Amino acid sequence: MNGEHSATTDERDEQTTDDTRTQTMTTDRSRLCRTFQTAPAAVPRENTAKYLDSGLSATGFQKPDWLVPDIEDGTAPDMKSEALDNVVDRLPDAEFVGEVWPRVEWSYEDERFRDRGREQIRTLVREVGEFVDGVVVPKVGRLDDVKRAERVVAEAEREYGYAEGSVGLSVIVESARAVSDLREISQWGGESRLHGLVFGPVDYTAELGGRELDGQPPTWDSLLWRLSNEASANGLVALGGPFDRLFGERAGVRFYNGEAYADQVEREAQVGLDGSWSLHPNQTAQANRVHMPSPSELAGDVQRIESFHEAKGDGTGAVVVDGQMVDEATYKNFVNTVETVTVIHEVAPEQTTTLYDEELLDRAFDLDL
Amino acid sequence: MNGEHSATTDERDEQTTDDTRTQTMTTDRSRLCRTFQTAPAAVPRENTAKYLDSGLSATGFQKPDWLVPDIEDGTAPDMKSEALDNVVDRLPDAEFVGEVWPRVEWSYEDERFRDRGREQIRTLVREVGEFVDGVVVPKVGRLDDVKRAERVVAEAEREYGYAEGSVGLSVIVESARAVSDLREISQWGGESRLHGLVFGPVDYTAELGGRELDGQPPTWDSLLWRLSNEASANGLVALGGPFDRLFGERAGVRFYNGEAYADQVEREAQVGLDGSWSLHPNQTAQANRVHMPSPSELAGDVQRIESFHEAKGDGTGAVVVDGQMVDEATYKNFVNTVETVTVIHEVAPEQTTTLYDEELLDRAFDLDL
Amino acid sequence: MNGEHSATTDERDEQTTDDTRTQTMTTDRSRLCRTFQTAPAAVPRENTAKYLDSGLSATGFQKPDWLVPDIEDGTAPDMKSEALDNVVDRLPDAEFVGEVWPRVEWSYEDERFRDRGREQIRTLVREVGEFVDGVVVPKVGRLDDVKRAERVVAEAEREYGYAEGSVGLSVIVESARAVSDLREISQWGGESRLHGLVFGPVDYTAELGGRELDGQPPTWDSLLWRLSNEASANGLVALGGPFDRLFGERAGVRFYNGEAYADQVEREAQVGLDGSWSLHPNQTAQANRVHMPSPSELAGDVQRIESFHEAKGDGTGAVVVDGQMVDEATYKNFVNTVETVTVIHEVAPEQTTTLYDEELLDRAFDLDL
């Protein structure tokens, strides 16, 4: 939620345009997005910014890496303008430490939505450009439509005097056309201001005519794999879609549906998505945890790096740690774990100090990577 | 089974070449194909057209949306010419209300099959061009091969005086090359006479060298997903492959394998395939049912549309129906349900009046969409 | 392990560049690779070539179709040069009948690894070019990087006087970029010296940031399907990745993990991969068996071919064998089975004579295909 992105963007572009540089994964990690929490920017309550305020002031594991003030589907049609006002009003004074990415309106197939989206983007950049990390554009179509959205951001950025690339773009992949062009969009995106690919299962299922039979909606596993692959190939972040069965009920008691959500988040983490969509502080807390190294992962990798350094000091090339042969390639993975923890520690120290031993953190931060 | 397609084709082309028009899904729906029933066009019985006659005179839920007189693999090599004769003989007097799509011979890798296919297509267009909706071409290869098949249809159409686009083309996707080019074939197809993408698992499994281990053939789920996605992205229909274990037997009794087939059809419907392949009137009856809105889906969506109209009349933008916020985007999905039922009612009123209450149908047809 | 490949390569190129020729599957089969067994080319034992020697002298079902002396990740950094020496020393006198494909170092993202790989390839071609069938290049990136590796092989081949195409190339698909470009790499590969696409799950999972949760690493099923499809579409072989949990332990007893490995190999065979990766003679024995026709498959197909020939002699076009209608298309699949067995019999007669009855083999080899 500040103006450092142009440097980050440049860094990333350099790395992804040259196959021979150090792996882009490291860069993915430095752009932390374990949680993509949408908050309706206006709701019919006394304080219409209730959910926005709540997201901006969240603490501990409930603080999302990305807060997404939602001016699109989460906000009723007759409250769109109040939603935009709320965002403009709240961002300057918020003390939120993560990134802020408002979601605007858009549609590859309907110009009216694009016109509204353009106005929303222009207002956001003009009024609070220095307080947003980028905008989230939903319902994009083929590559041409994504480029069209990018031009809107670029124009607003230029018109209101921001450095090129300082306002990022993430898109929601929820049309058959966007999926058909996923490779092309991602490859173009690796050299543009595009940062995130977010899956939108509800619209996607409707567009394909998918059906929920026996209560099981399609899970689109192959699509998640491709999203993860294309994001990794091009230095982008890939994020899962929302899980909207927030609450279950049995024998008269209503309860937070924590098992089912964690299952979804774990499936997403397994195929390498960087983060998950959250609709609720509890979901944020769970997704933040699943998408960070466990204490034993961190402890193991710190120890392997220490042993590797020691062995290299001895002049030996190969090191065996806990029965695993460590070379430059595997070493890189251990480093990734520590770098991820380092980045999380910067934006959410209350999470790292809660999850890991102080001594372990000290050893991790003392490493010469 | 008549000459109205050129208009339909033009309509579709206009919609799919401009990203900004109304979603193509509506168009998919207007080209109903819940069931793709192949009938061997000649069999070694006294009446060699036995299955063809039976398909053409089917009624109720056993009437397929598309009847596919099969001159290819379903007909023995020495009966091909009689098969063609049967189709030419039976179509003019049939009172079949669905679409008719004969399957001819073809092969991307064998010119002899293509030569026979060309002659079969020319004969069909010359003799019964006004009674077929298109031809089904199997074993296509890369995009170039699909274009080659398209040129054969275009030439026959021109030579025998039919309007451009009046004879459609559907292809069976059953080679590794067609799957490799699926995106390119579909994108080209969205602007051509191509209407349907049909999966052919038997040849496909043989070509990839897939094995049936422990009695389980590969299900190719990822391929079905891509078929569904590319069809939706380009305004085509996507159809599943045949299920040939028609009958089971246990403890001495042989019975129709209805559970296993319905399971396959439900899996296909779940990922958004428009229809399923049928080899038997029972399969047709089941697939027709799975691929149409259930009575409660129709009732729910009719009510949501009614409430939405009422609320808009009141000047409110957002409407909450049964706890769901209804906006223009979700509204579109409700409309799709009603439009699908409307199209089914046109070609198979005995199915709609059997499945839905008369009162519900009246409410659906009274809506001003 | 000899110099016949240029002919094989030419044959294949001719077939794959013309869609209209006989199916490439037959060609896949003639390039047998049921097992891709890596053997560290140097280990810190008294005989540093212990595993290499063991692989080169394996017999029976433990003899791999491809032996892969591993100079890359299987060999410690400080033993690379001894590993290369061992390969150069052992190959000329080995009496191994399968193919030999050393794995060298490479990395799309690190020039140092590519420099070492180039030197290793040049040394191998110069010293033992006539004894290797090709080289295995790991960690390739996009198509450009694969072409870069191909040029290294082509230059060495030319410089040391080998016929063009006599030294093959197989690549390990283990980066997001290679997967993103899989269609392009494979299509280019179908007309080049590229022979094999081998999946590398460990690096791939690390690159995507995949996680092993609840002890289950991701299985990347969709990727295996695409690998199989692209290999089939372009006349290449597709191979699964290593299974490294070689041994299990329970109640104090350590045992070879044969069930889990066979499960993986069967899953790979089911989707049409040509072979599996082996790290151990037991794995080789299992994968060789799973990837060859079972005795009943061979017996059935031999009988169907015999009946088909008999019926054609009688002048009938269609033949029904065991209730299945046999035409030219299905006939081709039966022929594939017999051809596969014929090729296996050439390189591993002890396997075919162990698995099949002598009488059945005689009938198979007597067929006029």
Side-chain angles (χ1 to χ4, degrees):
Chain A
M1 189 174 166
N2 53 51
E4 299 173 65
H5 343 290
S6 55
T8 311
T9 305
D10 289 347
E11 247 177 78
R12 202 199 39 176
D13 283 354
E14 276 182 23
Q15 296 203 355
T16 56
T17 51
D18 180 354
D19 244 12
T20 70
R21 299 296 187 84
T22 315
Q23 195 179 21
T24 53
M25 244 180 79
T26 315
T27 319
D28 294 351
R29 304 286 159 171
S30 77
R31 201 69 193 251
L32 196 69
C33 183
R34 295 168 296 162
T35 37
F36 176 99
Q37 183 182 321
T38 49
V43 287
R45 304 282 182 103
E46 200 177 304
N47 170 14
T48 62
K50 171 183 160 62
Y51 290 122
L52 181 57
D53 288 344
S54 152
L56 284 168
S57 59
T59 58
F61 279 103
Q62 294 198 335
K63 190 186 74 56
D65 288 336
W66 288 23
L67 181 68
V68 181
D70 188 9
I71 306 171
E72 201 220 5
D73 285 355
T75 292
D78 59 350
M79 300 195 78
K80 300 291 188 198
S81 107
E82 183 153 5
L84 192 56
D85 289 348
N86 283 342
V87 177
V88 167
D89 180 63
R90 294 314 206 264
L91 291 195
D93 300 325
E95 292 180 7
F96 184 72
V97 188
E99 303 197 12
V100 175
W101 289 79
R103 178 163 77 158
V104 299
E105 292 182 274
W106 192 267
S107 165
Y108 75 87
E109 57 180 348
D110 193 326
E111 201 175 353
R112 293 167 303 171
F113 287 92
R114 289 198 299 277
D115 287 343
R116 297 212 288 260
R118 183 177 298 111
E119 283 316 302
Q120 290 157 2
I121 290 171
R122 291 172 56 81
T123 302
L124 288 167
V125 175
R126 186 180 65 235
E127 302 294 332
V128 287
E130 67 198 295
F131 303 106
V132 300
D133 295 80
V135 293
V136 175
V137 173
K139 300 190 179 63
V140 293
R142 293 200 179 273
L143 174 58
D144 278 350
D145 185 55
V146 177
K147 287 182 175 174
R148 184 159 55 182
E150 194 278 336
R151 281 196 302 273
V152 170
V153 178
E155 281 165 21
E157 196 182 63
R158 199 161 44 238
E159 183 166 347
Y160 300 116
Y162 286 91
E164 196 187 328
S166 55
V167 181
L169 171 67
S170 289
V171 295
I172 309 213
V173 174
E174 55 190 334
S175 73
R177 291 167 198 221
V179 171
S180 182
D181 275 12
L182 190 58
R183 177 171 175 265
E184 289 68 26
I185 290 170
S186 306
Q187 212 165 346
W188 167 83
E191 300 178 18
S192 77
R193 76 181 67 236
L194 188 66
H195 280 301
L197 302 170
V198 190
F199 181 43
V202 177
D203 278 271
Y204 184 71
T205 300
E207 185 160 338
L208 262 64
R211 301 270 294 281
E212 187 169 324
L213 296 165
D214 293 326
Q216 292 303 314
T219 52
W220 308 118
D221 294 329
S222 303
L223 189 156
L224 292 182
W225 160 62
R226 286 209 49 213
L227 210 65
S228 179
N229 188 83
E230 291 305 323
S232 292
N234 297 288
L236 307 171
V237 296
L239 308 171
F243 178 84
D244 57 11
R245 295 168 199 204
L246 271 170
F247 296 96
E249 187 182 310
R250 193 151 169 191
V253 176
R254 189 163 175 269
F255 46 83
Y256 171 66
N257 209 347
E259 286 288 351
Y261 180 69
D263 283 347
Q264 174 174 309
V265 173
E266 288 189 1
R267 275 199 308 275
E268 292 169 350
Q270 198 183 34
V271 297
L273 294 195
D274 299 275
S276 296
W277 191 312
S278 162
L279 296 167
H280 187 278
N282 276 353
Q283 291 192 340
T284 301
Q286 289 187 296
N288 274 336
R289 277 290 278 273
V290 172
H291 289 291
M292 74 194 283
S294 70
S296 67
E297 280 178 277
L298 179 61
D301 288 356
V302 164
Q303 199 212 316
R304 290 184 190 99
I305 293 171
E306 290 168 344
S307 307
F308 188 75
H309 283 180
E310 220 167 286
K312 279 184 90 170
D314 296 350
T316 322
V319 188
V320 174
V321 183
D322 293 345
Q324 186 187 359
M325 198 177 70
V326 176
D327 59 12
E328 297 285 344
T330 42
Y331 175 74
K332 200 169 53 188
N333 288 315
F334 309 147
V335 170
N336 276 336
T337 301
V338 175
E339 287 186 341
T340 301
V341 171
T342 306
V343 177
I344 298 173
H345 189 73
E346 277 163 27
V347 298
E350 69 283 18
Q351 293 180 19
T352 45
T353 52
T354 302
L355 189 62
Y356 309 115
D357 276 354
E358 197 182 328
E359 191 212 322
L360 175 59
L361 274 181
D362 287 344
R363 277 170 61 203
F365 298 150
D366 275 354
L367 293 170
D368 181 21
L369 299 178
Chain B
M1 190 175 165
N2 52 51
E4 298 173 67
H5 345 291
S6 54
T8 311
T9 306
D10 290 346
E11 248 176 79
R12 202 199 40 178
D13 283 354
E14 276 181 24
Q15 296 201 356
T16 55
T17 52
D18 180 356
D19 244 13
T20 69
R21 299 293 187 86
T22 316
Q23 195 179 20
T24 52
M25 244 179 79
T26 316
T27 320
D28 293 352
R29 303 286 159 172
S30 78
R31 200 70 192 250
L32 195 69
C33 183
R34 296 168 296 162
T35 38
F36 175 98
Q37 182 183 320
T38 49
V43 287
R45 303 283 181 105
E46 200 176 306
N47 171 14
T48 62
K50 173 183 157 63
Y51 291 122
L52 182 56
D53 288 345
S54 151
L56 285 167
S57 58
T59 58
F61 279 103
Q62 294 197 336
K63 192 185 73 56
D65 288 337
W66 288 23
L67 182 67
V68 181
D70 188 8
I71 305 171
E72 201 221 6
D73 284 355
T75 292
D78 59 350
M79 299 195 78
K80 299 290 188 199
S81 110
E82 183 153 4
L84 192 57
D85 290 348
N86 282 342
V87 176
V88 167
D89 180 62
R90 294 314 206 263
L91 291 196
D93 300 325
E95 292 180 8
F96 184 74
V97 188
E99 302 197 13
V100 176
W101 288 79
R103 178 164 77 158
V104 299
E105 292 182 273
W106 193 267
S107 166
Y108 74 87
E109 57 179 346
D110 194 326
E111 199 175 356
R112 293 167 303 169
F113 287 93
R114 291 198 298 278
D115 287 343
R116 296 212 288 260
R118 184 177 297 112
E119 282 316 302
Q120 290 157 1
I121 290 172
R122 291 172 56 81
T123 302
L124 288 166
V125 175
R126 185 180 66 233
E127 302 294 332
V128 287
E130 67 196 297
F131 303 106
V132 301
D133 296 79
V135 292
V136 175
V137 173
K139 299 188 178 66
V140 293
R142 293 201 179 273
L143 174 57
D144 278 349
D145 185 57
V146 177
K147 287 183 175 173
R148 183 159 58 179
E150 195 277 337
R151 282 196 301 274
V152 170
V153 178
E155 281 166 21
E157 197 181 62
R158 200 162 45 237
E159 183 167 346
Y160 301 116
Y162 285 91
E164 198 188 328
S166 55
V167 181
L169 171 67
S170 289
V171 295
I172 310 213
V173 174
E174 54 190 334
S175 73
R177 292 168 196 219
V179 170
S180 182
D181 276 13
L182 191 58
R183 178 170 175 265
E184 289 68 27
I185 290 171
S186 306
Q187 212 164 345
W188 166 84
E191 299 179 16
S192 77
R193 74 182 67 236
L194 189 66
H195 281 301
L197 302 171
V198 189
F199 181 42
V202 178
D203 278 272
Y204 184 70
T205 300
E207 185 160 341
L208 262 66
R211 301 271 294 281
E212 186 169 324
L213 296 164
D214 294 326
Q216 293 302 315
T219 52
W220 308 119
D221 294 329
S222 302
L223 189 156
L224 291 181
W225 159 63
R226 287 209 49 214
L227 209 65
S228 179
N229 188 83
E230 290 305 322
S232 291
N234 297 290
L236 307 172
V237 295
L239 309 170
F243 178 82
D244 58 10
R245 297 172 198 201
L246 270 170
F247 296 95
E249 188 183 307
R250 195 153 167 191
V253 176
R254 192 163 173 267
F255 45 84
Y256 172 67
N257 209 346
E259 287 289 351
Y261 180 69
D263 283 348
Q264 175 174 308
V265 172
E266 288 188 2
R267 276 199 307 274
E268 292 169 350
Q270 198 183 33
V271 296
L273 294 195
D274 299 275
S276 296
W277 191 312
S278 162
L279 296 168
H280 187 278
N282 276 353
Q283 290 192 339
T284 301
Q286 290 187 296
N288 274 336
R289 278 289 279 274
V290 172
H291 288 290
M292 74 195 282
S294 70
S296 68
E297 281 179 276
L298 180 61
D301 288 357
V302 164
Q303 198 211 316
R304 290 183 190 101
I305 293 171
E306 290 169 345
S307 307
F308 188 74
H309 283 180
E310 222 168 285
K312 279 185 90 171
D314 295 352
T316 322
V319 188
V320 173
V321 183
D322 293 344
Q324 186 187 0
M325 198 178 69
V326 176
D327 59 12
E328 297 284 344
T330 42
Y331 175 75
K332 200 170 53 187
N333 288 315
F334 309 148
V335 169
N336 276 336
T337 301
V338 174
E339 286 186 343
T340 301
V341 170
T342 306
V343 176
I344 298 172
H345 189 72
E346 277 164 27
V347 297
E350 69 283 17
Q351 294 180 18
T352 45
T353 53
T354 302
L355 190 61
Y356 309 116
D357 276 352
E358 197 182 330
E359 191 211 321
L360 174 59
L361 274 181
D362 287 345
R363 277 170 62 204
F365 298 149
D366 276 353
L367 293 171
D368 181 21
L369 299 178
Chain C
M1 191 177 164
N2 52 50
E4 299 173 66
H5 346 291
S6 54
T8 311
T9 306
D10 290 346
E11 246 176 80
R12 202 197 44 179
D13 284 353
E14 276 182 23
Q15 296 203 355
T16 55
T17 53
D18 180 354
D19 244 14
T20 70
R21 297 296 186 85
T22 316
Q23 194 180 19
T24 53
M25 244 179 79
T26 315
T27 320
D28 294 351
R29 304 285 159 172
S30 78
R31 201 69 192 250
L32 195 70
C33 184
R34 295 168 295 162
T35 37
F36 175 99
Q37 182 183 321
T38 49
V43 287
R45 303 284 180 102
E46 199 178 305
N47 170 15
T48 62
K50 172 183 158 64
Y51 291 122
L52 181 57
D53 289 343
S54 151
L56 285 168
S57 59
T59 57
F61 279 103
Q62 294 197 336
K63 192 186 73 55
D65 288 336
W66 288 23
L67 182 68
V68 180
D70 189 8
I71 306 170
E72 200 220 6
D73 284 355
T75 292
D78 59 351
M79 300 195 78
K80 300 290 187 197
S81 110
E82 182 153 4
L84 192 57
D85 289 347
N86 283 342
V87 176
V88 167
D89 180 62
R90 293 315 207 262
L91 290 195
D93 300 324
E95 292 180 7
F96 185 72
V97 188
E99 302 197 12
V100 175
W101 288 78
R103 177 163 77 159
V104 299
E105 292 183 274
W106 193 267
S107 165
Y108 75 87
E109 58 180 346
D110 194 326
E111 199 175 355
R112 294 167 301 171
F113 287 92
R114 289 198 300 277
D115 288 342
R116 297 212 288 259
R118 183 177 298 111
E119 283 316 302
Q120 290 157 0
I121 290 172
R122 290 172 55 81
T123 302
L124 288 167
V125 174
R126 185 179 66 234
E127 302 294 332
V128 286
E130 66 197 296
F131 303 106
V132 301
D133 296 81
V135 293
V136 175
V137 174
K139 299 189 179 64
V140 292
R142 293 202 179 272
L143 174 57
D144 278 349
D145 185 55
V146 178
K147 287 183 175 173
R148 183 160 56 181
E150 195 278 336
R151 281 197 302 273
V152 170
V153 178
E155 282 166 21
E157 197 180 60
R158 201 162 42 239
E159 183 167 346
Y160 301 117
Y162 285 91
E164 196 188 330
S166 55
V167 181
L169 171 67
S170 290
V171 296
I172 309 213
V173 174
E174 55 190 334
S175 73
R177 292 168 197 219
V179 171
S180 183
D181 275 11
L182 191 58
R183 179 172 174 264
E184 289 66 27
I185 290 170
S186 305
Q187 213 165 345
W188 167 83
E191 300 179 16
S192 78
R193 73 182 67 237
L194 188 67
H195 280 301
L197 302 170
V198 189
F199 180 43
V202 177
D203 279 272
Y204 184 71
T205 300
E207 185 160 340
L208 262 65
R211 301 271 294 280
E212 186 169 324
L213 296 164
D214 292 327
Q216 294 302 315
T219 53
W220 309 117
D221 295 329
S222 302
L223 189 156
L224 291 182
W225 160 63
R226 286 209 51 213
L227 210 64
S228 179
N229 188 84
E230 290 305 323
S232 291
N234 296 290
L236 308 171
V237 296
L239 308 171
F243 177 84
D244 57 10
R245 295 170 198 202
L246 270 170
F247 296 95
E249 187 182 308
R250 195 154 168 190
V253 176
R254 190 162 174 267
F255 45 83
Y256 172 66
N257 210 346
E259 287 289 350
Y261 180 69
D263 283 348
Q264 174 174 308
V265 173
E266 288 188 2
R267 277 198 308 275
E268 292 169 351
Q270 198 182 33
V271 296
L273 295 195
D274 298 275
S276 296
W277 191 313
S278 162
L279 296 168
H280 188 278
N282 276 353
Q283 291 192 339
T284 301
Q286 290 187 297
N288 274 335
R289 278 290 278 274
V290 172
H291 288 291
M292 73 194 282
S294 70
S296 67
E297 280 179 276
L298 180 61
D301 288 357
V302 165
Q303 198 212 317
R304 289 183 190 101
I305 293 172
E306 289 169 347
S307 307
F308 187 75
H309 283 180
E310 222 168 285
K312 278 186 90 172
D314 296 350
T316 322
V319 188
V320 174
V321 183
D322 294 345
Q324 186 187 0
M325 200 179 70
V326 176
D327 60 12
E328 296 285 344
T330 42
Y331 175 74
K332 201 171 50 190
N333 288 316
F334 308 147
V335 169
N336 276 337
T337 302
V338 174
E339 287 186 342
T340 301
V341 171
T342 305
V343 177
I344 298 173
H345 188 72
E346 278 164 27
V347 297
E350 69 283 17
Q351 293 181 19
T352 46
T353 53
T354 301
L355 189 62
Y356 309 116
D357 276 351
E358 197 183 329
E359 191 212 321
L360 175 60
L361 275 181
D362 286 345
R363 277 170 62 201
F365 298 150
D366 276 353
L367 293 171
D368 180 21
L369 300 176

